[in-house]
Amino acid sequence: MPPVPSWGSPGSGGLTGVEPTSTWDPHPGQVLLALSAHVGALEAEKQRLRSQARRLAQENVWLREELEETQRRLRASEEAVAQLEEEKRHLEFLGQLRQYDPPAENQQSESPPRRDSLASLFPSEEEERKGPEAAGAAAAQQGGYEIPARLRTLHNLVIQYAGQGRYEVAVPLCRQALEDLERSSGHCHPDVATMLNILALVYRDQNKYKEATDLLHDALQIREQTLGPEHPAVAATLNNLAVLYGKRGRYREAEPLCQRALEIREKVLGADHPDVAKQLNNLALLCQNQGKFEDVERHYARALSIYEALGGPHDPNVAKTKNNLASAYLKQNKYQQAEELYKEILHKEDLPAPLGAPNTGTAGDAEQTLRRSSSLSKIRESIRRGSEKLVSRLRGEGAAGAAG
């Protein structure tokens, strides 16, 4: 074995060896701990990023919802602006209508007063579309209340729109005018009641009977409070309600309203006024629908006497009332009485007879009067239908008798 060299001291001149370097030999447990710490840090970072991603996704949903809500508010604002522009146009139109109002100092001196149909918005079918010169003038002027000219003009405009089926224009126009009147005069004012009547007519034309009934009840209450329970305008609203109930088949509720309207008009206008005769016609029709034929004949007979006394035998209202009475006779199988009335109408008014029968001649003044009447064509058609029905029934009875 060879001798091992000795290490000399640093200061000696002997052989010196190289000093060995120090080395670290990590323990496997330490390595695992370091890796575990690193993996934990990575997992924590991963969880932090996931949490941030969820927060950002939630914020994204919130932002989308906020954007949709903002867009909805924007659309609502645009619609509100459009509505305000439409209301502005309506207000400008109502402002233009005010020029038709007579000066306050001249209202009492107007003579004769204009005739107006706003007090009776539900007359017979042929009278519904007439302008402010239709029947009902005396009633509208009684008691010191006169319907303003702008409401008469507005009524005609609304009727025109409703006749064209443009309810999307007529209804907002009425509502805007109603709000304008309520702001300027308060709710309990006769003009507000008149506007309620106009809006009720529009709703009636749309078959919105409940809305129309509510408006008329409100108008009736206002007119009773402001004009008195026996004012002709109250009678007109009562008649409107009665006719509306009649159109809904509620005849028992309609009859007392119509009866009260008749009593008011008789007391205020007189027993021989044409409005009384018109009310008698309405009452007779309600009684007829309930089978009260004795009352029907009595009411029609009285209305007929009023019309004949005022306008003579060739008054168109005489022909209409006779036609109504003949129809009531047909419903009772009183064919002879009905035939006599139809012959009178056809003879006096020179209306074409049914089934190709020849005409019986002319009555000059009566023919001119009838041609001036806007209801002439409807009178003729109604008489044709009634007389043809009479003839068909009579022929049917004759055939049955021959077979027996």
Side-chain angles (χ1 to χ4, degrees):
M1 180 178 207
V4 178
S6 61
W7 298 94
S9 63
S12 65
L15 181 64
T16 59
V18 179
E19 186 176 0
T21 59
S22 63
T23 60
W24 177 72
D25 186 10
H27 193 274
Q30 293 178 342
V31 174
L32 290 176
L33 286 174
L35 288 175
S36 176
H38 182 66
V39 171
L42 291 177
E43 187 65 25
E45 180 66 14
K46 182 180 179 180
Q47 293 297 330
R48 186 184 68 80
L49 292 175
R50 285 180 176 176
S51 176
Q52 185 176 5
R54 286 193 298 269
R55 180 176 60 81
L56 290 175
Q58 187 175 11
E59 289 180 356
N60 185 38
V61 173
W62 290 343
L63 289 174
R64 286 181 179 274
E65 293 177 352
E66 184 66 22
L67 178 60
E68 291 177 358
E69 178 65 19
T70 303
Q71 290 176 341
R72 187 192 64 80
R73 289 198 298 266
L74 177 61
R75 289 192 297 269
S77 299
E78 292 173 349
E79 293 175 358
V81 169
Q83 180 66 25
L84 289 174
E85 291 178 351
E86 184 68 19
E87 292 179 356
K88 179 184 176 183
R89 288 194 293 270
H90 288 165
L91 289 174
E92 291 174 350
F93 172 74
L94 292 176
Q96 294 173 0
L97 290 180
R98 292 182 183 277
Q99 64 180 320
Y100 296 102
D101 283 346
E105 62 272 11
N106 295 334
Q107 287 186 1
Q108 301 298 327
S109 61
E110 289 184 355
S111 180
R114 291 185 62 183
R115 299 176 64 84
D116 194 275
S117 64
L118 293 180
S120 300
L121 293 181
F122 298 144
S124 58
E125 293 295 330
E126 66 272 10
E127 293 176 350
E128 283 184 339
R129 304 300 179 182
K130 288 186 179 180
E133 282 72 29
Q141 300 299 331
Q142 292 291 331
Y145 169 65
E146 180 180 0
I147 297 173
R150 70 176 182 276
L151 289 187
R152 292 196 291 264
T153 305
L154 179 62
H155 168 252
N156 293 337
L157 184 63
V158 169
I159 290 299
Q160 181 179 358
Y161 282 140
Q164 298 171 355
R166 300 177 62 186
Y167 299 110
E168 74 282 358
V169 179
V171 172
L173 185 61
C174 289
R175 288 194 172 279
Q176 185 60 50
L178 183 60
E179 292 176 4
D180 181 56
L181 286 171
E182 288 178 333
R183 282 194 299 266
S184 62
S185 305
H187 182 70
C188 193
H189 191 276
D191 290 351
V192 174
T194 299
M195 197 65 237
L196 289 170
N197 273 270
I198 297 175
L199 184 55
L201 174 61
V202 177
Y203 281 147
R204 196 292 309 270
D205 285 348
Q206 295 179 277
N207 296 326
K208 295 182 178 180
Y209 295 126
K210 183 181 184 303
E211 292 85 346
T213 302
D214 293 341
L215 291 175
L216 288 177
H217 277 295
D218 193 8
L220 177 62
Q221 183 178 5
I222 293 174
R223 283 181 166 176
E224 287 179 331
Q225 292 178 359
T226 58
L227 303 177
E230 295 184 346
H231 194 277
V234 173
T237 307
L238 287 168
N239 179 69
N240 296 347
L241 269 173
V243 176
L244 184 59
Y245 279 138
K247 289 181 177 293
R248 301 174 65 183
R250 298 166 63 176
Y251 305 117
R252 291 185 178 180
E253 298 175 68
E255 184 180 356
L257 297 173
C258 196
Q259 182 66 45
R260 183 186 167 197
L262 175 63
E263 294 172 358
I264 294 174
R265 284 175 166 167
E266 286 178 329
K267 183 175 182 179
V268 177
L269 305 176
D272 297 329
H273 195 276
D275 285 352
V276 173
K278 183 171 66 175
Q279 196 69 56
L280 285 166
N281 266 288
N282 291 344
L283 184 57
L285 183 60
L286 292 174
C287 291
Q288 179 173 317
N289 287 317
Q290 298 178 77
K292 300 179 180 180
F293 290 107
E294 292 184 3
D295 295 335
V296 171
E297 294 180 17
R298 184 175 72 255
H299 295 322
Y300 278 142
R302 186 180 167 201
L304 190 59
S305 65
I306 294 174
Y307 284 135
E308 287 179 336
L310 293 175
H314 302 302
D315 190 324
N317 290 314
V318 172
K320 287 193 296 184
T321 304
K322 285 185 176 182
N323 182 60
N324 294 341
L325 181 56
S327 177
Y329 283 146
L330 284 178
K331 291 181 181 298
Q332 303 176 73
N333 297 327
K334 296 182 177 180
Y335 301 130
Q336 183 177 356
Q337 293 92 324
E339 182 182 9
E340 292 175 357
L341 284 176
Y342 284 131
K343 286 181 178 179
E344 291 180 10
I345 299 171
L346 295 172
H347 175 71
K348 291 181 180 179
E349 312 302 353
D350 189 31
L351 298 179
L355 303 177
N359 292 336
T360 58
T362 61
D365 295 338
E367 182 69 15
Q368 293 177 4
T369 303
L370 279 174
R371 290 189 183 279
R372 286 194 300 266
S373 172
S374 63
S375 61
L376 172 59
S377 60
K378 291 192 175 183
I379 297 175
R380 286 180 170 176
E381 184 62 27
S382 178
I383 293 171
R384 287 196 195 98
R385 290 196 302 267
S387 56
E388 288 174 358
K389 186 185 300 183
L390 170 63
V391 174
S392 63
R393 289 187 180 182
L394 290 175
R395 286 182 173 178
E397 287 188 354

